[in-house]
Amino acid sequence: MPETTIEDTNRRRATDQVLDVREDLEIAEGMIPGALHIPMGDLDARVGEIEKNRPVIVVCRSGNRSARVADALNSAGFAADTMAGGMAAWQQAGLPTTR
């Protein structure tokens, strides 16, 4: 499964899609600016909201859920990476978040 670093994600977020698959309570702690929020459990019903012609970077708290979602999206014809370390690493590095 393709993986990207928090630094690469920060560079790529201007052109690629960032998909946050955390739950609503986790989102309250902050999201990557411009990210699309679709909780992992809602993905099947809402996959149409993700553009198939743009790369997707999948984000969760630590990287476990995002890896599973990235695998599923790649199997469905998307170009998806998981962000290593998740939002825990992103926030620890002091990268920007929005509420």
Side-chain angles (χ1 to χ4, degrees), residues 26-95:
E26 295 171 290
I27 291 297
E29 299 168 7
M31 283 177 48
I32 294 173
L36 172 64
H37 175 226
I38 301 177
M40 185 174 168
D42 296 346
L43 189 65
D44 286 346
R46 296 180 57 193
V47 72
E49 296 175 38
I50 306 166
E51 295 177 49
K52 224 171 193 168
N53 60 345
R54 285 175 60 208
V56 182
I57 302 166
V58 187
V59 176
C60 68
R61 182 178 47 80
S62 65
N64 293 325
R65 285 171 286 179
S66 61
R68 293 198 306 269
V69 171
D71 283 344
L73 289 173
N74 284 320
S75 294
F78 291 85
D81 296 332
T82 183
M83 186 177 79
M87 284 303 292
W90 180 275
Q91 289 170 315
Q92 187 173 15
L95 292 166

